[in-house]
């Protein structure tokens, strides 16, 4: 088996040598784009596995330019960390020798007592653990305000950073407020309550604070203070680690792996307090890794939902954060989990959402032979890499366009509903039900800076403040379903609007104007199980609330996701088309907006591994009609929209 593995690796090197120039061009060398392989401790502790990995990466060169080694996460023993750091330093140097940059990732608070091993080595004796609002106590989840815990973090991260001198130190997504089982949220221990009282001049006990949070006391001020306090608790951890890393490795930047916590409202609106702490301590712009699940592609449409979740996270980042590495996760890293082709399609979809880098947790557990990982995952990703690089370069400075499934920034301040479970207000499923409409060709721009309109379900409308209600419905285009409209009426929205006759060509909707120019349309439901005539009607209603500026309308009956990318100027830069069905799509007719009606643009269809195809447009007024050629089932391609070169050049 070993001889066969080496033979396959040598063959891979020979087959790829001729295309190395096209895989990594000087034009993209200084861009943010990169592909990253994430590892677990065995990849530096086990020399046989380490050497197999090095061979595999050399067999498929220029696939990954960076690896994230992993610090030990099953122990608090400094001796164990020291031994691991020594092995990691050796592995890091060997990676540098083959032209691969080493970085490091590590945990902080711990994901939960049911996630890590539960080993006695993980239970702290020198500091306290997390206690949640109900009094649940974790065994191995660390309270972020314990001085002893900060001393431990300082020593551990300085150890790895000093020995390895990594490009980036990444903090895992356990640096979060919620979900540290059995604790639902952090932290209501005596230390945290005391610090909260000191910072905000209160006299709370855990019991009285929980009651005040439940009652939304002081007009929401207590909830807002507690969220800010909790965010600063996390930021203090990031600050301690960043300071210790910077002291021993001053060129090392910091990064945060964050998940889809817009549903977990106690997390706050964004992760910027952590990022800002990282930058303040190092003087270097940090990096982001958005993510959230989708561990196998057995139900492949899950990648679309995850992609839109990541798009929302990306839009909430500080604008100076440009290194944004998508989490592409294959836990438990079995051959029966993620398929090689599915992995490639998933990667492309996340790029269309706005990430600038791709990070792969696909071999971490080493559950399969390295031969399998290399021959399947590495080989396929190497083939697709030029396709990714070109897309990332072409679409810099743009973001997804379409309708924003809007969630108000003050959603966490909504009042409790009758009969609602304790702390039910801390989570939201607002607009989750609308995401399947994307499979009908309705483009979405979650939290977008330039959405064509908004759409909201009942929970999203319920979470708006009174001032948000007035501003949005007076001035914006909004699409609601009947339950959302009922909530809006209860809140007086009908007094801001005037019903109008149904615009020509639309059916099964009620439409409104506001004196200030806003448009609202109400449809019976957001059910995505529709015949094609109703699908087209839905798209035309969405176009009406978009003031006839919906960036793309898929006119062909198809199960496909469209992702327009919009430049800051408002011009359409590209459109990604994902066939999210088993069958091939013979031809797809797309109507584009935001193009140059004077015919000064060229439209180029691109698919991985195939020659570019120039598509001849048809013009209907300011609209451009394109007919996209056959796209196989669960495949993806994109249209590049570029200026024509002047004749004679």
């Amino acid at each position: 088996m070993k001889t066969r593995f080496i033979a396959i690796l040598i063959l891979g090197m020979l087959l790829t040598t001729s295309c190395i120039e096209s895989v990594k061009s000087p034009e993209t060398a200084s861009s943010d784009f990169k592909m990253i392989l994430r590892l677990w401790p065995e990849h530096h502790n086990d020399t046989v596995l380490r050497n197999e990995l090095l061979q595999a990466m050399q067999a498929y060169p220029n696939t990954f330019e960076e690896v994230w080694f992993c610090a030990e996460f099953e122990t608090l023993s400094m001796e164990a960390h020291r031994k691991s750091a020594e092995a990691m330093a050796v592995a890091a140097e060997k990676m540098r020798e083959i032209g691969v940059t080493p970085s490091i990732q590590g945990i902080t608070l711990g994901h939960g007592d049911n996630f890590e091993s539960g080993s006695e080595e993980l239970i702290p004796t020198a500091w306290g653990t997390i206690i949640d609002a109900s009094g649940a106590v974790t065994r191995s989840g660390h309270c972020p305000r314990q001085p002893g815990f900060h001393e431990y973090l300082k020593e551990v991260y300085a150890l790895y950073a000093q020995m390895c001198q990594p490009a980036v130190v990444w903090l895992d997504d356990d640096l979060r407020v919620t979900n540290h089982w059995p604790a639902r949220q952090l932290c209501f221990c005596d230390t945290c309550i005391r610090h909260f009282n000191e910072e905000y001049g209160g006299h709370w006990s855990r019991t009285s604070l929980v009651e005040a949070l439940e009652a939304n006391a002081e007009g929401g001020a207590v909830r807002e203070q507690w969220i800010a306090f909790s965010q600063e608790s996390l930021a203090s951890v990031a600050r301690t680690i960043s300071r210790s890393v910077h002291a021993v490795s001053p060129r090392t930047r910091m990064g945060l792996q964050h998940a889809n916590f817009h549903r977990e409202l106690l997390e706050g609106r964004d992760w910027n307090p952590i990022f800002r702490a990282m930058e303040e301590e190092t003087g270097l712009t940090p990096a982001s890794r958005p993510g959230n699940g989708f561990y196998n592609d057995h139900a492949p449409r899950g990648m679309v939902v995850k992609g839109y979740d990541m798009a929302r996270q990306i839009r909430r980042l500080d604008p100076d954060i440009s290194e944004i590495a998508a989490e592409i996760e294959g836990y438990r890293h079995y051959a029966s989990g993620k398929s090689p082709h599915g992995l490639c399609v998933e990667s492309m979809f996340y790029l269309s959402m706005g990430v600038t880098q791709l990070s792969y947790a696909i071999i971490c557990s080493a559950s399969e032979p390295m031969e399998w990982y290399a021959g399947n995952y590495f080989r396929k990703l190497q083939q697709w890499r030029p396709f990714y690089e070109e897309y990332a370069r072409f679409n810099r400075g743009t973001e997804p366009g379409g309708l924003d499934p809007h969630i108000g920034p003050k959603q966490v301040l909504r009042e409790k509903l009758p009969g609602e479970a304790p702390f039910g207000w801390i989570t939201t499923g607002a607009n989750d039900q609308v995401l399947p409409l994307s499979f009908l060709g309705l483009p979405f721009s979650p939290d977008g800076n330039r959405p064509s309109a908004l759409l909201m379900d009942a929970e999203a409308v319920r979470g708006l403040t009174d001032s948000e209600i007035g501003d949005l419905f007076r001035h914006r285009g909004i699409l609601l379903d009947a339950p959302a409209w009922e909530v809006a009426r209860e809140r007086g929205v009908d007094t801001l609007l005037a019903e109008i006759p149904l615009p020509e060509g639309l059916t099964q909707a009620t439409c409104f104007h506001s004196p200030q120019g806003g448009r609202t349309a109400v449809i019976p439901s957001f059910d995505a199980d529709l015949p094609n005539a109703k699908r087209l009607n839905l798209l035309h209603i969405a176009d009406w609330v978009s003031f006839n500026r919906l960036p793309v309308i898929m006119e062909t009956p198809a199960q496909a996701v469209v992702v327009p990318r919009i430049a800051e100027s408002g011009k359409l830069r590209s459109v990604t088309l994902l066939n999210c069905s088993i069958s091939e799509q013979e031809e797809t007719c797309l109507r584009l907006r935001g193009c140059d009606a004077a015919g000064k643009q060229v439209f180029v269809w691109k698919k991985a591994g195939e020659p570019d195809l120039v598509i001849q447009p048809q013009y209907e007024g300011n609209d451009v009609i394109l007919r996209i050629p056959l796209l196989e089932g669960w495949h993806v391609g994109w249209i590049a929209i570029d200026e024509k070169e002047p004749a004679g050049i």
Side-chain angles (χ1 to χ4, degrees):
M1 177 64 76
K2 182 69 67 179
T3 302
R4 180 167 171 260
F5 179 38
I6 294 172
I8 289 174
L9 295 176
I10 293 172
L11 177 61
M13 293 173 73
L14 292 172
L15 290 174
T16 57
T17 300
S18 63
C19 64
I20 288 176
E21 286 301 316
S22 64
V23 170
K24 180 140 182 161
S25 66
E27 189 175 4
T28 60
S30 62
S31 72
D32 292 322
F33 181 79
K34 64 177 73 167
M35 291 171 63
I36 301 152
L37 188 63
R38 294 173 58 191
L39 308 172
W40 276 1
E42 289 77 8
H43 290 99
H44 62 266
N45 289 330
D46 183 330
T47 55
V48 173
L49 183 61
R50 180 198 71 195
N51 291 338
E52 288 182 352
L53 173 61
L54 289 164
Q55 289 176 329
M57 295 187 75
Q58 291 176 87
Y60 296 95
N62 298 313
T63 303
F64 307 104
E65 58 259 78
E66 187 170 325
V67 295
W68 295 352
F69 288 109
C70 186
E72 298 297 323
F73 54 83
E74 299 286 359
T75 183
L76 300 179
S77 164
M78 285 308 302
E79 182 55 36
H81 282 301
R82 189 168 291 105
K83 182 178 179 182
S84 182
E86 290 171 354
M88 186 187 290
V90 173
E93 188 55 37
K94 289 186 177 296
M95 283 292 173
R96 290 188 180 99
E97 289 172 1
I98 64 169
V100 176
T101 300
S103 289
I104 297 174
Q105 61 181 358
I107 67 169
T108 56
L109 307 184
H111 294 82
D113 291 353
N114 60 344
F115 189 90
E116 278 83 31
S117 68
S119 163
E120 294 297 315
E121 290 186 44
L122 280 171
I123 300 172
T125 58
W127 59 83
T129 59
I130 296 168
I131 301 176
D132 75 3
S134 71
V137 182
T138 64
R139 298 177 73 238
S140 58
H142 312 290
C143 166
R145 288 187 175 252
Q146 299 288 317
F149 177 52
H150 281 253
E151 289 301 313
Y152 164 78
L153 291 173
K154 190 186 306 180
E155 187 175 359
V156 166
Y157 276 90
L159 172 66
Y160 285 103
Q162 184 170 29
M163 297 188 104
C164 299
Q165 298 293 300
V168 185
V169 167
W170 289 90
L171 306 186
D172 208 336
D173 58 18
D174 61 321
L175 189 59
R176 61 197 188 205
V177 173
T178 56
N179 295 319
H180 298 276
W181 190 89
R184 182 65 182 83
Q185 68 286 116
L186 60 79
C187 178
F188 290 78
C189 72
D190 290 344
T191 299
C192 287
I193 298 295
R194 184 177 73 253
H195 286 185
F196 181 66
N197 285 331
E198 291 171 355
E199 290 187 28
Y200 289 96
H203 299 86
W204 304 105
S205 65
R206 180 173 64 82
T207 301
S208 64
L209 178 58
V210 168
E211 290 174 351
L213 292 169
E214 282 280 81
N216 207 14
E218 299 179 20
V222 177
R223 287 185 187 176
E224 290 185 316
Q225 290 169 359
W226 182 251
I227 290 169
F229 175 82
S230 299
Q231 286 187 309
E232 183 50 39
S233 295
L234 303 186
S236 71
V237 171
R239 192 178 297 281
T240 290
I241 295 171
S242 301
R243 186 183 300 131
S244 67
V245 167
H246 189 65
V248 298
S249 186
R251 295 184 179 180
T252 297
R253 292 174 294 111
M254 299 299 298
L256 177 66
Q257 301 178 18
H258 46 91
N260 172 32
F261 294 135
H262 70 261
R263 294 183 177 88
E264 295 285 353
L265 302 178
L266 284 184
E267 300 288 345
R269 180 74 176 170
D270 52 46
W271 303 266
N272 292 330
I274 295 175
F275 285 119
R276 289 166 189 157
M278 290 174 165
E279 186 165 7
E280 287 167 7
E281 294 298 331
T282 65
L284 303 170
T285 303
S288 158
R289 189 237 61 186
N292 189 47
F294 190 63
Y295 295 156
N296 59 61
D297 53 21
H298 302 166
R301 289 187 175 188
M303 74 175 68
V304 176
V305 176
K306 177 174 179 175
Y308 282 126
D309 288 348
M310 284 199 288
R312 196 179 296 278
Q313 296 176 57
I314 294 165
R315 303 287 91 73
R316 295 185 184 187
L317 293 171
D318 277 342
D320 62 334
I321 296 177
S322 61
E323 294 194 52
I324 306 168
E327 174 203 56
I328 303 166
E329 175 65 75
Y331 184 78
R332 303 177 177 261
H333 319 115
Y334 298 158
S336 59
K338 286 280 177 76
S339 62
H341 176 75
L343 197 68
C344 294
V345 172
E346 179 186 1
S347 301
M348 179 59 197
F349 188 72
Y350 297 162
L351 282 172
S352 77
M353 292 292 100
V355 303
T356 60
Q357 302 175 355
L358 301 169
S359 73
Y360 296 90
I362 52 177
I363 72 168
C364 300
S365 65
S367 299
E368 306 292 352
M370 188 63 68
E371 174 185 1
W372 188 91
Y373 289 132
N376 288 273
Y377 290 159
F378 294 9
R379 178 181 62 85
K380 198 74 172 176
L381 288 170
Q382 186 191 57
Q383 292 170 359
W384 279 61
R385 178 176 173 129
F387 183 64
Y388 301 149
E389 280 191 291
E390 183 180 17
Y391 182 88
R393 181 179 66 249
F394 189 86
N395 287 281
R396 288 190 73 174
T398 70
E399 67 174 49
L403 274 69
D404 174 13
H406 185 72
I407 300 174
K410 301 289 188 180
Q411 179 87 20
V412 72
L413 301 184
R414 72 163 178 82
E415 299 298 332
K416 283 192 65 175
L417 300 175
E420 189 173 19
F423 271 54
W425 51 271
I426 73 171
T427 62
T428 182
N431 292 325
D432 283 353
Q433 64 164 322
V434 310
L435 295 180
L437 297 177
S438 65
F439 306 127
L440 305 179
L442 184 62
F444 286 144
S445 175
D447 274 24
N449 293 306
R450 296 176 289 277
S452 60
L454 312 179
L455 80 167
M456 291 182 280
D457 63 9
E459 187 170 350
V461 175
R462 192 175 291 115
L464 298 175
T465 65
D466 290 341
S467 62
E468 289 171 333
I469 283 266
D471 181 60
L472 294 179
F473 282 90
R474 285 188 176 99
H475 300 104
R476 303 294 295 274
I478 298 176
L479 179 60
L480 305 176
D481 67 353
W485 175 243
E486 284 306 307
V487 175
R489 287 183 60 192
E490 291 169 4
R491 302 195 60 185
V493 168
D494 55 330
T495 66
L496 307 177
L497 307 174
E499 186 174 348
I500 62 171
L502 198 60
E504 184 179 356
L506 303 185
T507 64
Q508 295 184 303
T510 306
C511 296
F512 303 86
H513 269 161
S514 78
Q516 295 80 14
R519 291 184 177 187
T520 299
V522 181
I523 60 176
S525 78
F526 287 135
D527 186 2
D529 189 13
L530 298 174
N532 188 55
K534 290 187 176 181
R535 182 192 70 85
L536 282 172
N537 184 58
L538 170 66
L539 295 182
H540 292 147
I541 293 169
D543 189 39
W544 181 79
V545 298
S546 298
F547 301 88
N548 304 110
R549 293 195 298 267
L550 193 65
V552 56
I553 297 176
M554 185 174 72
E555 299 193 333
T556 305
Q559 300 178 53
V561 179
V562 293
V563 184
R565 289 290 289 264
I566 311 296
E568 193 169 349
S569 64
K571 284 190 175 182
L572 184 63
R573 181 67 167 153
S574 74
V575 178
T576 297
L577 182 66
L578 168 63
N579 182 351
C580 58
S581 72
I582 297 172
S583 296
E584 62 185 23
Q585 179 67 29
E586 291 287 347
E587 182 181 79
T588 306
C589 180
L590 300 180
R591 178 180 295 270
L592 309 185
R593 270 68 174 273
C595 300
D596 183 353
K600 296 181 180 179
Q601 291 176 311
V602 61
F603 301 86
V604 184
W605 172 245
K606 297 174 179 288
K607 280 173 65 180
E610 296 188 10
D612 290 350
L613 177 66
V614 176
I615 299 179
Q616 296 304 317
Q618 296 176 312
Y619 293 91
E620 292 185 6
N622 291 327
D623 294 356
V624 172
I625 311 298
L626 296 184
R627 300 189 180 277
I628 309 303
L630 182 146
L631 184 60
E632 298 83 357
W634 275 107
H635 213 310
V636 64
W638 65 285
I639 305 160
I641 305 171
D642 211 349
E643 301 300 319
K644 283 184 178 178
E645 293 184 356
I649 294 181

